[in-house]
Amino acid sequence: MKAHDGMYIDGAWRPADGRDTIEVVNPADEQVIGHVPAGDALDVDTAVRAARAALPGWAATPPAERAARLAALRDVLVARKDEIAGTVTAELGSPLKFSQAVHVGAPIAVAGSYAELAATYAFEEKVGNSVVHHEPIGVVGAITPWNYPLHQIVAKVAPALAAGCTIVLKPAEDTPLTAQLFAEAVHEAGVPAGVFNLVTGLGPVAGQALAEHPGVDLVSFTGSTAVGRRIGATAGAAVKKVALELGGKSANVILPSADLARAVNVGVANVMSNSGQTCSAWTRMLVHRDRYDEAVALAAEAAAKYGDRIGPVVNAKQRERVRGYIEKGVAEGARLVAGGPEAPRERGYFVSPTVFADVTEEMTIAQEEIFGPVLSILRYEDEEDALRIANGTVYGLAGAVWAGDEAEAVAFARRMDTGQVDINGGRFNPLAPFGGYKQSGVGRELGAHGLAEYLQTKSLQF
């Protein structure tokens, strides 16, 4: 696609306030593929004002009509799926098949789910002698990351539209072209002017201006825990609601009764997916001591198959960050059984699929989010030890449990301090709530729980 040189505000592409631009680089070959405007506080203010002006009309629009616009948006995304997938591949580096199936396929499913929810959600209910009314919270400032550039946008914009909110989106500066395509899709779907607005720019400039703007009623942010803390502090000072989906260090717990080969192979695939750039990735594999050596051998064999199958990480800074963690793992005594810090290719931001054995729970690679194709394998003594290790980080976003008996896995999963657990390789469900415990965030996305984040409640007594 050809990049727009303006912002999508109030239903049209408008010139940016400043002249600065952001280079968009293909991480697979390090070539510049486009430029987008670097928006500033004035651009954000213009967009927020447009969203506020459009709010009364969109909030008063019947849910059935909002559902129709969401269904139209889903249909546009379907019609343009190949173009969008190609754009994701160009600016993120994801293999095209993965872009088609996951980067575009998942958000299409999410958009469709909210088209249905908007038409069926109980926006009003009778409770005793009261009528409880759920109404849109107002203007939403949505700040999204680069790792799933379309999915993260749809996971915020679709429920906000369903709720009757208006939106200003600030996408990640590494993947703004996908966001521009989404804005085109919104326009083509007939969403009224001002209901959705797009401002591209840098996080410390445009993102901060959006989080601080007094005309924004809710800030929905997905990204690092460090930035989430700053946004939470800013919103707290203004008594403004936040929804934060932050980091993770998820445990993949393989109980002794599990099908070890399947659990290990699926676990390695989970970590290598999207080049490890997934906040919910199962980056800690926990294996009983009696089966540990077998699991390590299986994981090393599985990881070796991904050398030519995964794409690069998003940029040079991220590549060096991941390689730094690998070097730290070696320095702290973990044993490399696959991959390593050496660059696997001369060009592009590639990192070798890496597996560490003999990882102990206090090691940096077992505690901090790496956001790259790096798996740590830890041994445990018994089930209580496994639970202690699984719950032993500041994060609590996702996880997995494997056991020969499903009830055994479920009983363990119920004791994990995390927001989502896959049982024996459970599949993605766009209707299930997603979000974290502890420092993995506040609030939930997807399904009815995700819609509720964009509503406020009023009760009428009779």
Side-chain angles (χ1 to χ4, degrees):
M1 69 165 288
K2 184 180 183 299
H4 290 277
D5 59 3
M7 311 294 188
Y8 183 76
I9 297 176
D10 204 16
W13 292 97
R14 303 170 180 267
D17 173 58
R19 295 184 178 181
D20 291 340
T21 61
I22 299 170
E23 280 188 348
V24 185
V25 176
N26 184 330
D29 60 15
E30 304 180 43
Q31 296 298 304
V32 176
I33 58 174
H35 295 79
V36 299
D40 59 17
L42 183 57
D43 294 308
V44 169
D45 182 66
T46 303
V48 173
R49 289 178 184 273
R52 290 226 72 87
L55 179 61
W58 185 245
T61 300
E65 174 57 24
R66 299 201 296 262
R69 292 308 95 213
L70 280 163
L73 175 59
R74 174 204 57 208
D75 293 344
V76 175
L77 295 176
V78 170
R80 301 184 67 175
K81 62 183 180 180
D82 291 339
E83 179 187 10
I84 298 171
T87 300
V88 172
T89 291
E91 62 182 354
L92 182 62
S94 172
L96 184 58
K97 287 185 178 180
F98 189 81
S99 293
Q100 292 168 333
V102 177
H103 284 294
V104 181
I108 285 173
V110 172
S113 74
Y114 279 112
E116 295 179 10
L117 270 170
T120 59
Y121 192 84
F123 288 97
E124 194 166 274
E125 57 185 321
K126 187 78 164 59
V127 180
N129 64 304
S130 302
V131 171
V132 179
H133 181 63
H134 304 285
E135 59 190 35
I137 198 166
V139 174
V140 174
I143 304 173
T144 56
W146 44 260
N147 60 323
Y148 288 90
L150 181 63
H151 174 70
Q152 299 287 3
I153 290 172
V154 171
K156 298 182 188 304
V157 173
L161 291 176
C165 297
T166 56
I167 305 109
V168 177
L169 169 67
K170 205 298 286 185
E173 49 263 37
D174 288 292
T175 54
L177 303 182
T178 300
Q180 288 190 342
L181 281 178
F182 179 78
E184 291 179 2
V186 168
H187 188 87
E188 190 175 339
V191 175
V195 172
F196 170 83
N197 307 273
L198 171 68
V199 176
T200 54
L202 301 175
V205 180
Q208 183 172 336
L210 185 58
E212 293 177 347
H213 200 290
V216 171
D217 301 295
L218 163 67
V219 180
S220 180
F221 169 78
T222 297
S224 72
T225 297
V227 176
R229 287 193 194 100
R230 293 199 292 273
I231 289 174
T234 297
V239 196
K240 183 184 301 185
K241 185 178 178 181
V242 296
L244 304 173
E245 198 266 279
L246 308 175
K249 194 68 183 175
S250 301
N252 179 17
V253 182
I254 304 175
L255 296 176
S257 63
D259 179 339
L260 186 66
R262 180 166 180 259
V264 170
N265 283 318
V266 174
V268 170
N270 177 277
V271 173
M272 302 307 161
S273 175
N274 208 39
S275 302
Q277 300 169 128
T278 303
C279 53
S280 58
W282 310 333
T283 52
R284 295 181 297 143
M285 181 180 289
L286 278 56
V287 184
H288 189 270
R289 62 180 182 180
D290 291 343
R291 309 194 75 186
Y292 187 82
D293 291 341
E294 183 184 357
V296 168
L298 287 167
E301 181 182 358
K305 299 175 183 177
Y306 286 88
D308 296 324
R309 290 166 56 182
I310 65 173
V313 295
V314 71
N315 56 37
K317 181 180 178 181
Q318 184 65 17
R319 177 187 60 189
E320 295 312 304
R321 180 178 188 271
V322 175
R323 290 171 66 182
Y325 271 110
I326 296 171
E327 290 169 350
K328 183 166 284 190
V330 173
E332 292 183 356
R335 175 167 56 97
L336 271 174
V337 295
E342 296 78 15
R345 305 189 192 185
E346 292 184 3
R347 195 162 187 80
Y349 308 129
F350 291 89
V351 177
S352 295
T354 298
V355 177
F356 278 106
D358 299 339
V359 178
T360 55
E361 57 192 290
E362 73 279 359
M363 289 181 180
T364 303
I365 59 172
Q367 290 294 322
E368 297 184 11
E369 184 175 47
I370 298 174
F371 229 59
V374 181
L375 170 65
S376 296
I377 309 180
L378 298 86
R379 60 168 55 83
Y380 66 85
E381 297 295 317
D382 54 29
E383 189 171 301
E384 292 305 313
D385 192 38
L387 183 67
R388 180 186 58 77
I389 295 171
N391 291 338
T393 74
V394 298
Y395 298 110
L397 186 57
V401 183
W402 301 79
D405 177 56
E406 184 177 285
E408 180 187 5
V410 169
F412 189 96
R414 290 184 185 279
R415 297 199 290 162
M416 293 175 71
D417 297 335
T418 192
Q420 188 174 81
V421 184
D422 290 348
I423 306 297
N424 288 338
R427 293 172 294 129
F428 171 70
N429 179 3
L431 298 178
F434 178 75
Y437 287 20
K438 300 186 285 187
Q439 292 187 27
S440 285
V442 177
R444 292 295 182 268
E445 292 186 328
L446 304 181
H449 294 81
L451 175 56
E453 293 290 337
Y454 297 91
L455 297 170
Q456 56 188 349
T457 303
K458 178 185 294 178
S459 60
L460 309 176
Q461 275 62 253
F462 294 89

